[in-house]
């Protein structure tokens, strides 16, 4: 293996330890940071995600509430719960787990969360704050990817970064964060004819598609930093990313594994955002 592994698990642990220290200081002043997590319906994967988030809060000394509702919970009732949490002084972050049942408009729900408590950074106001470099909350996954890149000591200034994927929650905010770090950024997506043409010139590649082998060894410049956001299953049912890890690790300079790369960082950055919301409150 040529590439050095970027250990997201280890980095997330050190970030969570720092969150715990700062949370304890706030708690001692009677201002314990608090996160509310709402889940509607019975999607098993979503229930695992929210359990992990609530457990991470408990481990770092944050107050958390988990509100679980049946799949037929009405949109109006959900909006009323968000309104109540917006006004709850013990809650500094509100997260509504996606996907929501079809009868609920996710945009309405996200926009109902007070911007000051939008620790997922998904609302249009938070997106605008990111775009204009105002101090709002950065979406947790791209924010975590930036921390992973930073951890390598790699200076993004003047480097070429390619993001594969342009979702509102990962690809687009990722591109903006790289741009803010003074990288020259190219965004590829499903209509990009030859992704390898772009990635072969890239010093950094972030793959956020949700499809195996989107990035293979022949598409990577030697020494590049490769961040794999994707979550997929291989033929044996094992978790894997978008990157052909075994091939790309022989060419790249740095690479994140799946699992153990971006995933743990997403939760760590959720804690950071919640803590910072409490510090600002
Ligand atoms: P998404 O909303 O489905 O967006 C996927 C993006 O990939 C779209 O922009 C799409 O392009 C693009 N795409 C699809 N097929 C492509 C192809 N063949 N070549 C190039 N681009 C292609 O997904 P997402 O929410 O951004 O998530 C992406 C992946 O990251 C998923 O596997 C998800 O599970 C994972 N994820 C992981 C974490 C974590 O914490 N580890 C967090 C969030 C997401 P178009 O816009 O043209 O359709």
């Amino acid at each position: 293996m040529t590439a050095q592994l970027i250990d997201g698990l280890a980095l997330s642990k050190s970030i969570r330890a720092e969150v715990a220290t700062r949370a304890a200081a706030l708690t001692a002043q009677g201002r314990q940071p608090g996160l509310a997590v709402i889940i509607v319906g019975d999607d098993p994967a979503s229930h695992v995600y929210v359990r992990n988030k609530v457990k991470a809060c408990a481990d770092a000394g944050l107050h958390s509430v988990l509100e679980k509702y049946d799949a037929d919970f009405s949109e109006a009732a959900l909006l009323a719960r968000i309104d109540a949490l917006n006004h709850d002084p013990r809650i500094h972050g509100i997260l509504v787990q996606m996907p929501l049942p079809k009868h609920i408009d996710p945009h309405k729900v996200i926009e109902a969360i007070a911007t000051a408590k939008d620790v997922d950074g998904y609302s249009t106001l938070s997106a605008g704050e990111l775009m204009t470099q105002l101090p709002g909350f950065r979406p947790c996954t791209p924010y975590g990817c930036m921390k992973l890149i930073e951890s390598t000591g790699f200076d993004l200034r003047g480097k070429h970064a390619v993001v594969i994927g342009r979702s509102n929650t990962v690809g687009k905010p990722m591109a903006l964060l790289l741009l803010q770090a003074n990288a020259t950024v190219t965004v590829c997506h499903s209509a990009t004819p030859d992704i390898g043409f772009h990635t072969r010139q890239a010093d950094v590649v972030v793959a956020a598609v949700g499809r195996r082998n989107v990035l293979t060894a022949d598409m990577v410049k030697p020494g590049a930093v490769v961040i794999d956001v994707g979550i997929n299953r291989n033929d044996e049912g094992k978790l894997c990313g978008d990157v052909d890890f075994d091939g790309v690790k022989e060419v790249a300079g740095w690479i994140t594994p799946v699992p153990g790369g971006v995933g743990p960082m997403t939760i760590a950055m959720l804690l950071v955002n919640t803590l910072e919301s409490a510090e600002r409150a």
Side-chain angles (χ1 to χ4, degrees):
M1 169 158 164
T2 310
Q4 295 190 58
L5 205 67
I6 312 177
D7 187 345
L9 206 54
L11 182 59
S12 73
K13 277 186 187 158
S14 71
I15 290 173
R16 284 159 68 156
E18 195 200 318
V19 168
T21 305
R22 282 162 63 187
L26 283 181
T27 304
Q29 299 165 15
R31 298 162 53 209
Q32 184 182 26
L35 175 72
V37 180
I38 302 179
I39 182 164
V40 184
D42 48 18
D43 177 51
S46 296
H47 277 269
V48 173
Y49 293 146
V50 296
R51 268 203 305 275
N52 288 343
K53 289 166 185 171
V54 167
K55 183 177 179 306
C57 282
D59 291 348
L62 272 63
H63 163 68
S64 66
V65 291
L66 174 56
E67 299 193 6
K68 296 183 193 175
Y69 299 108
D70 292 337
D72 60 359
F73 196 58
S74 75
E75 183 182 273
L78 177 57
L79 294 174
R81 279 309 305 143
I82 292 172
D83 186 51
L85 291 165
N86 281 342
H87 293 95
D88 183 340
R90 293 193 318 149
I91 296 300
H92 306 95
I94 302 169
L95 183 154
V96 179
Q97 185 64 41
M98 299 291 156
L100 288 165
K102 286 200 166 32
H103 65 279
I104 300 178
D105 179 351
H107 298 291
K108 246 193 213 174
V109 169
I110 291 167
E111 298 309 321
I113 298 170
T115 311
K117 299 189 179 187
D118 179 27
V119 287
D120 249 345
Y122 287 173
S123 71
T124 49
L125 269 170
S126 296
E129 286 173 338
L130 170 61
M131 166 80 90
T132 52
Q133 301 190 48
L134 288 171
F137 295 114
R138 294 354 184 186
C140 303
T141 300
Y143 191 12
C145 292
M146 290 302 288
K147 293 285 173 197
L148 287 165
I149 298 168
E150 261 175 44
S151 75
T152 67
F154 187 85
D155 182 8
L156 284 162
R157 172 176 283 273
K159 301 295 192 324
H160 184 201
V162 171
V163 181
I164 317 175
R166 58 172 168 183
S167 70
N168 290 334
T169 50
V170 187
K172 282 183 201 154
M174 186 74 235
L176 285 171
L177 289 170
L178 289 162
L179 200 58
Q180 282 174 19
N182 292 313
T184 301
V185 183
T186 301
V187 181
C188 299
H189 44 78
S190 64
T192 305
D194 182 1
I195 292 173
F197 170 79
H198 303 282
T199 56
R200 273 190 288 277
Q201 302 169 47
D203 304 297
V204 177
V205 181
V206 180
V209 171
R211 189 183 285 228
R212 284 162 56 193
N213 298 331
V214 157
L215 191 76
T216 48
D218 58 309
M219 298 166 74
V220 176
K221 175 170 154 180
V225 178
V226 174
I227 307 290
D228 192 352
V229 182
I231 302 175
N232 309 293
R233 298 257 170 208
N234 67 14
D235 292 338
E236 291 81 49
K238 273 179 64 186
L239 221 55
C240 67
D242 290 350
V243 175
D244 169 23
F245 182 85
D246 287 338
V248 171
K249 74 178 173 19
E250 301 301 335
V251 184
W254 295 86
I255 189 167
T256 59
V258 176
V262 174
M265 289 300 292
T266 296
I267 294 189
M269 301 327 288
L270 174 68
L271 298 183
V272 168
N273 280 350
T274 305
L275 172 81
E276 288 182 358
S277 175
E279 286 174 343
R280 287 176 203 173

